[in-house]
Amino acid sequence: MEHTKLNASEWNVLNCLWENHPRTVMQLVADLEESVGWAKSTTITTLRRMEEKGLVRVEQTGRGKSYTPAVEREQAMMDETHSFLDRVYQGSVGLMMSAMAKRQELSSDEVAELRAILDQIGEGK
């Protein structure tokens, strides 16, 4: 699947599945009721739509169904990050980091982590 664009509901379901799969409908209903307060009907409707979009794989297990993610977490995160950067910062990581730094939203630990990442990238070139 190329460039995965997920809505908030799909992120909720996939986060449950990425943590633990396969999951039955009733397991997902319980998980999503606890984590986001969804009713059973909301979970079932969302799963049906996600199945139609190819975001989850479904296997018939006896009288029920079990679900696994059809989308890799890392790919979905990268696609979402690129989409966000394009929409908000015209694709510029520098503009985003500058905006965050100006608002002092980066802790010293996060700054150190970013420096380490940049150093690692620099070493690879």
Side-chain angles (χ1 to χ4, degrees):
M1 178 177 289
E2 217 174 291
H3 298 299
T4 306
K5 183 137 175 74
L6 303 172
N7 64 38
S9 296
E10 293 163 348
W11 276 104
N12 286 328
V13 172
L14 285 171
N15 277 323
C16 286
L17 289 173
W18 286 324
E19 291 302 316
N20 190 3
H21 63 272
R23 304 292 283 164
T24 66
V25 172
M26 292 314 294
Q27 288 170 324
L28 285 166
V29 165
D31 292 345
L32 292 161
E33 180 180 21
E34 182 180 325
S35 64
V36 290
W38 283 4
K40 180 179 178 180
S41 59
T42 303
T43 299
I44 291 169
T45 299
T46 303
L47 285 168
R48 188 185 75 250
R49 289 179 182 155
M50 291 177 72
E51 183 180 354
E52 290 168 1
K53 291 170 81 173
L55 298 173
V56 293
R57 290 187 193 94
V58 183
E59 185 178 316
Q60 195 68 38
T61 53
R63 293 173 36 179
K65 294 180 179 180
S66 65
Y67 292 84
T68 57
V71 176
E72 294 292 326
R73 175 180 263 165
E74 293 76 18
Q75 186 61 52
M77 289 169 50
M78 289 300 296
D79 289 346
E80 184 71 18
T81 300
H82 285 287
S83 174
F84 171 77
L85 279 173
D86 289 344
R87 280 190 329 271
V88 179
Y89 295 102
Q90 296 79 46
S92 172
V93 173
L95 279 176
M96 180 185 71
M97 297 309 298
S98 175
M100 292 176 75
K102 285 178 184 171
R103 293 197 59 201
Q104 299 170 342
E105 292 183 5
L106 296 172
S107 69
S108 58
D109 287 346
E110 290 169 324
V111 170
E113 186 178 351
L114 286 169
R115 279 196 179 109
I117 291 167
L118 293 172
D119 288 346
Q120 229 176 10
I121 293 168
E123 291 170 5
K125 290 189 174 189

